[in-house]
């Protein structure tokens, strides 16, 4: 049975990771490792920015260099790390979790991955010709005037958007058509629901950004005037097109992360997830509402004052489905039998920090407060609590949780805990002072600031260097454990979802025989799902 | 058991109310209030800080309590009691947050209407952002300056635009900003209430000199303002 797959998965061992390979597990690992490298580059750029800001006055970067590092920090982190790393989890896990042999379109899947390295190289190579310096938001007309690296930036983001779209088509098709016998929609693991909600957002929103980027490139190269005010164009048009994608993009970066932690809590509490349907449906609600909030980024733009009100309301309402998730997770661990493994620690850290990002979102939605804190360090703090305290914590939770499945080996718990503590302290130390700096009057994206903000900035810089250092125990742990860690059992966590009911790592085509599903994914503590008895009854190993 | 949990809920609610009240009244996180709108914005802000403190302490409290109280006992490999949900509880934590955000939205709308209510006879000041300076024009007076002078307690209508890329005109002590966009004139209403000197900062990334695109606003008595204006003509 596995013989036939040898042809489509050429090579065993590490070499296959450097080839055009159509096995979703190989592609998943390609995504995870490649994007982590970009994460390190984005982090290095952030540390340079924070080093310049450790004290007031120009230190070692001039305004242009500062803006280039800042712009590429944001672009790398969002487009080359957090969006594609979550797609990497999706690639590895969705077929396993629904009991499929592979993704629906394996060759297209390989293509979505192989678009990423060239796009990343284009973005970073732009440093040799004058990198993009208009911020990751690339507001026109500034982004029309900046050097040629801005065009490379637009090309890179168009390619990455294409990769994202191909992936979304693949996820939706896979979930709709490739589910194992008995895997109904109400038995889908919540991570799969998260990927489904995210993929719908990608399909609806990404084309609008791509169109906007094409217009930017044409204004720059073909002499068109789409965003030129003096010639009948409109700079605000870009803001609408950009945020129509880039606000939903926040949910693209958060919904799969919420899916990851929803897998982790039940396993390490030995308890079913609380309110399964409410969590699944709140993902879909966030997805739909998320398409209606974009203009809250434009409250100070001079847009029609009457139009601001519906955007304020929709931005606030989105807190409700988010709150449903948080309360359901708390109810899941309540009265459980909690194991403080590294993935569980990161998942608990996710709640505690994402909460801060969520609450401060309400402040930003309230127009009278927004017009004070918009484009200040308050926003920088808010978005990093959502994306670093939130999404990155969940990514780490997922990397530790599925490490035994992906590599077939166990990681070192003690190093994992060191990593968690350094990451948790570093995140809060970096971003908490930024709220205050913003409220007191420090704009974002400045290479210099008034001396009154020195202490807050110094704290943030110390935190950023702690955060940078905190990646080291993780890298060491991952590399050493992958090479020589103790062998992992098929199901070391005694989890009930399907990916754990096959070998670690899973064989080609995933299952020795097609699984048949006869219960839910989180039936802990029930006769059907007593630990060790799985959601499905496939033949596990021998 | 039932009485004990009601007792616990009452105690926790009272503690949360105290936390919320203290956060709303004691946490002073904003700069000096130097305009009429600053007072209203800060009132809204403090209500939000109080509400946020209650939610924050409640959620983090439950998280830490649950993590400590319900950790696995050594050697206990059995599963926990399976509870899949509770409709009443789920309705409560959907309805209460919904009511809170609707109330906040309503209040924010009221504040917005109030701070943007046009004054009967505002003084117009034109603001032009250019890489990387601010220009202030006083129409009818023939005065253009790079430092903003305003008479205290006089309603001002700023008419804001840009000569090149997008900038954003921000005086933190006035609590508000408005983008300076080429091809558009955006209005921004302020009534300064404090005599003093405050920073004017650019809040929208506008190029290499963005950080240094600053000047100051000098709010002075009407007599001092007229003297300054005469001196500029």
């Amino acid at each position: 049975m596995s013989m036939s797959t040898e042809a489509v998965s050429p090579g065993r061992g590490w070499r296959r990771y450097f080839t055009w390979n159509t096995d979703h597990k190989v592609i998943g690992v390609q995504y995870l490792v490649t994007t982590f490298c970009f994460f390190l580059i984005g982090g290095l750029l952030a540390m340079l920015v924070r080093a310049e800001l450790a004290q007031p006055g120009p230190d070692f970067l001039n305004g242009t260099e500062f803006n280039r590092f800042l712009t590429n920090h944001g672009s790398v982190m969002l487009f080359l790390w957090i969006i594609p790393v979550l797609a990497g989890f999706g690639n590895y896990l969705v077929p396993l979790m629904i009991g499929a042999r592979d993704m629906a379109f394996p060759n297209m899947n390989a293509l979505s991955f192989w678009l990423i390295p060239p796009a990343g190289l284009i973005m970073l190579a732009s440093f040799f010709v004058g990198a993009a310096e208009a911020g990751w938001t690339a507001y026109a007309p500034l982004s029309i005037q900046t050097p040629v690296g801005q065009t490379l930036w637009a090309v890179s983001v168009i390619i990455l958007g294409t990769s994202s779209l191909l992936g979304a088509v693949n996820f939706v098709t896979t979930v709709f058509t490739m589910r194992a016998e008995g895997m109904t929609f109400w038995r889908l693991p919540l991570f799969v629901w998260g990927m489904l909600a995210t993929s719908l957002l990608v399909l609806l929103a990404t084309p609008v950004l791509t169109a906007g980027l094409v217009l930017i490139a044409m204004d720059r190269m073909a002499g068109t005037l789409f965003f030129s005010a003096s010639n009948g164009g409109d700079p605000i048009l870009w803001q609408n097109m950009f945020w129509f994608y880039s606000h939903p993009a926040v949910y693209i970066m958060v919904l799969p992360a919420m899916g990851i932690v929803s897998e982790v809590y039940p396993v390490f509490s030995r308890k079913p997830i609380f309110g399964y349907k409410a969590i699944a449906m709140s993902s879909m609600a966030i997805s739909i509402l998320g398409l209606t909030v974009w203009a809250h980024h434009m409250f100070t733009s001079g847009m029609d004052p009457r139009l601001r009100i519906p955007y304020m309301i929709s931005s606030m309402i989105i807190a409700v489905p988010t709150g449903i998730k948080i309360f359901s997770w708390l109810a899941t661990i309540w009265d459980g039998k909690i194991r403080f493994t590294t993935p569980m620690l990161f998942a608990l850290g996710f709640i505690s920090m994402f909460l801060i990002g969520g609450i401060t979102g309400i402040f930003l939605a309230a127009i009278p407060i927004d017009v004070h804190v918009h484009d200040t360090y308050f926003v920088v703090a808010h978005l990093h609590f959502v994306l670093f305290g939130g999404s990155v914590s969940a990514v780490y939770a997922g990397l530790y949780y599925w490490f035994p499945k992906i590599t077939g080996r166990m990681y070192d718990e003690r190093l994992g805990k060191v990593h968690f503590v350094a990451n948790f302290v570093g995140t809060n130390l970096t971003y908490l002072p930024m709220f205050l700096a913003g409220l007191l009057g420090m704009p974002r994206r400045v290479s210099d600031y008034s001396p009154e903000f020195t202490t807050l900035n110094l704290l943030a810089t110390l935190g950023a260097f702690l955060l940078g250092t905190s990646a080291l125990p993780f890298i060491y742990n991952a590399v050493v454990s992958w090479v020589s860690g103790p062998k992992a059992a098929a199901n070391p966590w005694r989890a009930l979802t399907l990916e754990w009911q096959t070998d670690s790592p899973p064989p080609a085509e995933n299952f020795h025989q097609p699984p048949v599903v006869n219960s839910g994914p989180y039936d802990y503590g029930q006769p059907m799902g007593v630990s060790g008895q799985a959601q499905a009854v496939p033949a596990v190993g021998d | 058991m039932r009485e004990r949990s009601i007792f616990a809920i009452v105690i926790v609610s009272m503690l949360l109310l105290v936390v919320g009240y203290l956060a709303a009244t004691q946490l002073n996180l904003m700069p000096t209030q130097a305009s009429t709108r600053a007072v209203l914005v800060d009132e809204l802000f403090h209500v939000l800080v109080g509400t946020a403190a209650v939610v924050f302490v409640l959620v983090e409290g439950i998280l830490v309590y649950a993590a400590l109280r319900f950790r696995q006992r050594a050697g206990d490999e059995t599963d926990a009691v399976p509870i899949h949900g509770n409709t009443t509880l789920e309705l409560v934590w959907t309805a209460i947050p919904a009511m809170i955000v609707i109330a906040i939205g309503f209040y924010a709308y009221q504040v917005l209407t109030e701070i943007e209510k046009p004054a009967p006879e505002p003084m117009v000041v034109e603001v032009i952002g250019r890489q990387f300076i601010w220009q202030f024009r006083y129409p009818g007076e023939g005065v253009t300056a790079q430092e903003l002078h305003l008479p205290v307690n006089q309603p001002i209508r700023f008419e804001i635009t840009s000569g090149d890329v997008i900038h954003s005109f921000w005086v933190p002590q006035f609590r508000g900003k408005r983008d300076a966009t080429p091809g558009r004139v955006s209005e921004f209403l302020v009534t300064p209430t404090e005599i003093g000197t405050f920073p004017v900062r650019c809040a929208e990334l506008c190029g290499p000199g963005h950080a240094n695109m600053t000047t100051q606003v000098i709010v002075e008595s009407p007599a001092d303002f007229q003297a300054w204006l005469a001196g500029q003509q």
Side-chain angles (χ1 to χ4, degrees):
Chain A
M1 187 163 151
S2 60
M3 292 302 284
S4 61
T5 59
E6 293 298 311
V8 287
S9 312
R12 308 292 301 163
W14 60 272
R15 279 189 190 82
R16 67 198 153 137
Y17 294 113
F18 295 88
T19 61
W20 181 279
N21 191 306
T22 57
D23 181 340
H24 73 97
K25 299 183 290 300
V26 173
I27 296 171
V29 171
Q30 288 175 324
Y31 262 100
L32 295 176
V33 174
T34 308
T35 54
F36 193 83
C37 293
F38 284 118
F39 179 41
L40 295 179
I41 294 170
L44 209 61
L45 290 167
M47 285 162 78
L48 287 165
V49 164
R50 279 315 321 167
E52 171 61 43
L53 293 173
Q55 49 178 355
D59 296 312
F60 66 100
L61 298 176
N62 63 35
T64 304
E65 290 161 345
F66 181 89
N67 289 349
R68 288 176 180 172
F69 286 146
L70 175 102
T71 299
N72 285 278
H73 158 69
S75 306
V76 167
M77 285 300 201
L78 300 177
F79 296 122
L80 286 161
W81 158 242
I82 203 75
I83 294 176
V85 75
L86 293 166
F89 278 108
N91 263 293
Y92 197 96
L93 295 168
V94 166
L96 280 163
M97 284 182 156
I98 64 171
R101 284 173 302 152
D102 205 314
M103 294 281 279
F105 309 110
N107 269 299
M108 193 166 90
N109 200 22
L111 178 62
S112 349
F113 167 73
W114 282 107
L115 288 172
I116 292 174
L121 289 178
I122 291 172
M123 189 178 288
L124 294 175
S126 70
F127 273 101
F128 294 107
V129 292
E133 55 185 71
W136 82 280
T137 51
Y139 271 19
L142 181 64
S143 58
I144 310 298
Q145 301 168 357
T146 43
V148 67
Q150 191 78 44
T151 307
L152 293 180
W153 175 89
V155 169
S156 170
V157 178
I158 289 173
I159 297 174
L160 291 166
T162 309
S163 156
S164 192
L165 272 169
L166 295 178
V169 169
N170 223 338
F171 287 128
V172 173
T173 315
T174 305
V175 173
F176 273 83
T177 63
M178 308 267 291
R179 282 169 289 124
E181 192 183 332
M183 178 57 84
T184 61
F185 270 89
W186 291 129
R187 283 177 180 166
L188 286 178
L190 288 166
F191 175 72
V192 178
W193 275 109
M195 285 307 298
L196 200 55
T198 284
S199 301
L200 292 173
L201 273 181
V202 170
L203 291 176
L204 291 168
T206 309
V208 179
L209 175 71
T210 307
L213 289 164
V214 170
L215 299 188
I216 286 255
M218 285 175 67
D219 269 13
R220 293 179 56 85
M221 296 189 298
T224 55
L225 301 161
F226 291 107
F227 304 127
S228 167
S230 49
N231 297 286
D234 187 358
I236 304 291
L237 172 63
W238 164 254
Q239 295 182 20
N240 275 302
M241 297 183 87
F242 178 80
W243 288 117
F244 184 81
Y245 167 78
S246 294
H247 195 84
V250 177
Y251 303 111
I252 292 171
M253 298 174 227
V254 163
L255 288 169
M258 291 171 155
I260 290 173
V261 295
S262 300
E263 300 300 323
V264 172
Y265 301 128
V267 174
F268 296 109
S269 305
R270 308 312 301 169
K271 221 175 137 243
I273 193 94
F274 191 99
Y276 168 90
K277 284 190 184 180
I279 295 180
M281 284 302 99
S282 61
S283 290
M284 302 313 275
I286 289 173
S287 191
I288 293 160
L289 277 172
L291 286 165
T292 68
V293 302
W294 80 90
H296 70 214
H297 293 272
M298 299 161 59
F299 286 154
T300 68
S301 69
M303 64 190 278
D304 188 323
R306 291 160 301 180
L307 274 179
R308 295 173 304 176
I309 308 304
Y311 288 104
M312 170 167 84
I313 302 298
S314 57
S315 305
M316 287 187 173
I317 293 289
I318 213 159
V320 175
T322 312
I324 291 175
K325 281 179 192 282
I326 290 179
F327 291 122
S328 301
W329 292 327
L330 291 176
T332 302
I333 65 168
W334 189 268
D335 215 5
K337 298 188 175 179
I338 301 170
R339 274 89 166 144
F340 290 106
T341 57
T342 308
M344 187 62 164
L345 288 172
F346 272 102
L348 296 174
F350 170 92
I351 295 189
S352 78
M353 293 185 283
F354 182 80
L355 176 73
I356 298 174
I359 290 177
T360 50
I362 299 285
F363 286 72
L364 288 162
I367 302 167
I369 297 175
D370 180 74
V371 296
H372 175 57
V373 292
H374 178 71
D375 268 328
T376 71
Y377 259 85
F378 188 90
V379 176
V380 179
H382 159 75
L383 76 93
H384 283 92
F385 266 102
V386 171
L387 293 177
F388 205 101
S391 300
V392 174
S393 291
V395 166
Y396 277 133
L399 288 174
Y400 283 105
Y401 177 56
W402 284 295
F403 190 87
K405 180 54 56 185
I406 294 172
T407 65
R409 293 178 186 273
M410 296 304 288
Y411 62 86
D412 183 296
E413 272 292 349
R414 216 167 45 176
L415 278 172
K417 282 173 182 148
V418 169
H419 176 210
F420 167 74
V421 172
N423 185 78
F424 186 82
V425 175
T427 306
N428 286 294
L429 183 58
T430 309
Y431 304 119
L432 281 177
M434 293 183 182
F435 282 119
L436 195 52
L439 287 168
L440 291 175
M442 181 169 167
R444 69 191 287 200
R445 296 170 161 175
V446 285
S447 56
D448 194 4
Y449 51 84
S450 162
E452 64 187 291
F453 304 118
T454 308
T455 313
L456 295 170
N457 276 279
L458 187 59
L459 286 173
T461 298
L462 289 173
F465 278 81
L466 177 57
L467 266 189
T469 318
S470 79
L472 299 178
F474 170 75
I475 296 169
Y476 177 83
N477 195 354
V479 171
V480 172
S481 304
W482 202 334
V483 173
S484 61
K487 292 266 187 220
N491 191 359
W493 312 125
R494 296 188 297 133
L496 297 183
T497 41
L498 278 183
E499 79 275 22
W500 296 104
Q501 316 313 325
T502 184
D503 305 348
S504 296
E509 302 207 335
N510 298 342
F511 299 94
H512 294 284
Q513 40 177 275
V516 177
V517 182
N518 49 30
S519 62
Y522 310 111
D523 287 347
Y524 296 95
Q526 287 184 330
M528 283 273 271
V530 174
S531 309
Q533 272 203 349
Q535 185 186 11
V537 205
V540 180
D542 37 352
Chain B
M1 190 62 202
R2 187 151 189 92
E3 265 175 34
R4 252 185 64 191
S5 45
I6 290 171
F7 183 68
I9 289 172
V10 170
I11 294 289
V12 168
S13 312
M14 280 165 59
L15 282 175
L16 286 173
L17 283 176
V18 171
V19 164
Y21 177 77
L22 288 178
T25 53
Q26 303 300 314
L27 278 180
N28 196 8
L29 306 173
M30 288 283 204
T32 313
Q33 294 175 340
S35 75
T36 47
R37 60 184 287 145
V39 178
L40 294 165
V41 170
D42 287 7
E43 275 172 16
L44 173 65
F45 179 74
H46 286 127
V47 169
L48 258 68
V49 169
T51 316
V54 170
V55 175
F56 179 79
V57 171
L58 178 69
V59 173
E60 304 284 0
I62 294 174
L63 182 68
V64 171
Y65 176 81
L68 296 176
R69 170 86 172 70
F70 301 115
R71 63 188 187 281
Q72 176 197 21
R73 303 273 168 253
D76 181 1
E77 294 299 323
T78 59
D79 286 353
V81 179
I83 300 162
H84 285 269
N86 179 323
T87 313
T88 314
L89 204 53
E90 288 172 57
L91 282 176
V92 166
W93 70 46
T94 307
I96 291 181
M99 288 189 290
I100 292 175
V101 293
I102 287 169
I104 289 173
F106 192 71
Y107 178 25
Y109 176 68
Q110 280 186 321
V111 172
L112 185 69
T113 316
E114 194 61 33
I115 61 179
E116 294 189 346
K117 197 186 285 172
E121 279 175 34
M123 181 178 115
V124 173
V125 179
E126 294 174 9
V127 179
I128 304 117
R130 297 181 197 281
Q131 291 172 319
F132 300 96
I133 54 157
W134 292 106
Q135 286 181 330
F136 305 101
R137 281 197 201 132
Y138 298 80
E141 308 286 350
V143 170
T144 300
Q146 294 197 16
E147 196 175 68
L148 179 59
H149 284 250
L150 298 175
V152 72
N153 294 328
Q154 162 70 50
I156 311 288
R157 190 173 82 220
F158 291 109
E159 295 181 354
I160 303 168
T161 190
S162 164
D164 38 51
V165 301
I166 299 178
H167 306 274
S168 193
F169 170 75
W170 184 32
V171 179
Q173 285 73 7
F174 288 170
R175 299 293 185 280
K177 63 176 69 70
R178 189 68 84 232
D179 292 358
T181 307
R184 281 182 187 236
V185 178
S186 301
E187 274 188 10
F188 183 55
L189 306 175
V190 166
T191 305
T193 51
E194 288 286 313
I195 289 179
T197 303
F198 310 107
V200 175
R201 300 197 170 109
C202 176
E204 183 63 62
L205 178 63
C206 58
H210 169 53
N212 303 318
M213 188 167 161
T214 56
T215 180
Q216 48 190 12
V217 48
I218 295 160
V219 180
E220 51 205 354
S221 68
D224 287 352
F225 174 74
Q226 287 305 331
W228 172 81
L229 208 56
Q232 296 287 310
Q233 277 159 345

